[in-house]
Amino acid sequence: MTNAADHVADLVFGRWRSQILYAGVELGIFDHLQLDTPKQAQVVAHELQADPALLYRLLRALASIGLLNESDQRAFTLTAAGDLLRECHPRSMKAMTRLEEGPQHYALWKHLPAMVRDGHQNAFEREFGRMAFEHARVDKDYDKRFKQAMSSYSALQADLVLEALRRVDLSEARTFCDVAGGHGYLMAAILCAYPQLSGIVLDLPEVVEDRMELSAAKFGVEGRCQYIGGDMFKAIPQADAYGLKMILHDWNDAECIEIFPMCAEPRVLAGVSL
């Protein structure tokens, strides 16, 4: 019974860990520390303009969950896990932490029991009166968190997708469409790995019209990548292969069933080649 009770207690208080992590990220603690050079807690507090006593306690809490190391002199360094929470890390998980543990997504979880009882999705509608993408147009903080999270997390996800695609024969494919592909990081990574492909990124008009954020030019594949602003529920462009990364979980079963036929019956849609 002790092991069972410990397991349940760990689940009950698990959010303490994720919120300690979130506090460290939101305050920018990880960006002020290094892997190999210890920094005194008081120095970090001064740099962050934070209360020294409470910041030291937070630093110790972050160390207790494996993100920092503490020396005998109350100085701290990053662990390998903590290093992933720096903004400049090439596989940074800072932005995703700010999104998933931030105020908007945090508020959604309280609606889970009601959703299961009555079978009505979506938690965003319950909390904010509108779907996530509509809410992003109104809540600029959420819009920024979401875009930063999707862009930064794409680096890690692109590696996983490319690994999975090695088991798929794409030799006959000439066009690949990333449905709701955001700024096109994944599409650009795929184009780099498969020189015979041309890419299409479909997303909302306000997403793809932000030229400075689009990834194709940054990867040097702008000549083979087309961005199309549209609605995947209305039309999806013609392609030989399709990707839907982290898309279907946003919609209920009936809405997902609407999306798949659009891939089976694509249309020629006009877009912008960068």
Side-chain angles (χ1 to χ4, degrees):
M1 286 298 293
T2 300
N3 290 338
D6 289 344
H7 177 62
V8 173
D10 185 63
L11 294 174
V12 170
F13 296 106
R15 176 159 281 184
W16 289 16
R17 290 192 295 273
S18 62
Q19 284 296 296
I20 288 169
L21 162 63
Y22 174 72
V25 165
E26 195 70 8
L27 289 169
I29 287 174
F30 301 98
D31 295 309
H32 285 259
L33 293 173
Q34 300 180 33
L35 284 165
D36 52 6
T37 304
K39 182 179 287 188
Q40 295 284 334
Q42 286 188 331
V43 175
V44 180
H46 176 74
E47 291 175 353
L48 296 176
Q49 297 183 339
D51 180 81
L54 288 181
L55 183 74
Y56 174 61
R57 294 172 72 173
L58 178 58
L59 291 170
R60 295 196 68 191
L62 291 166
S64 75
I65 59 174
L67 300 175
L68 303 179
N69 290 317
E70 182 183 8
S71 73
D72 294 336
Q73 290 76 39
R74 291 192 171 191
F76 293 84
T77 55
L78 298 170
T79 64
D83 191 39
L84 287 169
L85 297 164
R86 290 187 302 125
E87 190 165 344
C88 63
H89 194 285
R91 297 293 183 268
S92 177
M93 299 181 72
K94 174 180 179 176
M96 185 56 72
T97 303
R98 293 190 71 242
L99 174 68
E100 292 301 332
E101 290 300 320
Q104 296 88 0
H105 280 196
Y106 188 94
L108 302 180
W109 285 97
K110 65 175 176 284
H111 298 289
L112 182 58
M115 286 195 302
V116 174
R117 286 194 192 101
D118 62 34
H120 174 66
Q121 297 168 264
N122 169 296
F124 247 98
E125 288 182 331
R126 294 173 185 268
E127 181 68 19
F128 299 107
R130 49 187 169 252
M131 290 291 287
F133 301 110
E134 296 172 7
H135 185 66
R137 296 187 181 103
V138 177
D139 184 343
K140 297 306 179 184
D141 176 67
Y142 180 67
D143 182 56
K144 184 176 180 180
R145 287 173 187 263
F146 182 83
K147 288 179 178 178
Q148 289 178 339
M150 293 302 101
S151 295
S152 67
Y153 206 47
S154 289
L156 175 60
Q157 291 176 329
D159 290 343
L160 297 175
V161 170
L162 290 174
E163 182 179 347
L165 286 178
R166 293 189 188 102
R167 301 188 289 271
V168 179
D169 183 8
L170 290 177
S171 60
E172 300 298 321
R174 291 297 176 266
T175 55
F176 193 111
C177 177
D178 191 3
V179 179
H183 295 142
Y185 188 104
L186 175 61
M187 189 72 264
I190 290 174
L191 293 179
C192 288
Y194 295 88
Q196 86 279 9
L197 287 177
S198 293
I200 303 170
V201 177
L202 174 70
D203 213 306
L204 296 172
E206 58 264 32
V207 174
V208 300
E209 68 188 12
D210 190 354
R211 298 290 188 89
M212 296 301 295
E213 294 294 333
L214 303 184
S215 297
K218 299 174 184 178
F219 277 72
V221 294
E222 61 270 30
R224 293 190 287 130
C225 188
Q226 187 180 41
Y227 287 86
I228 295 177
D231 184 344
M232 65 184 174
F233 287 100
K234 296 179 179 178
I236 289 177
Q238 289 181 341
D240 298 319
Y242 295 90
L244 295 97
K245 176 179 70 68
M246 292 185 69
I247 300 304
L248 299 179
H249 71 284
D250 286 332
W251 309 98
N252 62 38
D253 291 348
E255 289 164 332
C256 288
I257 292 172
E258 290 183 43
I259 297 171
F260 284 119
M262 291 295 174
C263 294
E265 299 178 5
R267 305 179 188 180
V268 176
L269 299 177
V272 177
S273 296
L274 301 180

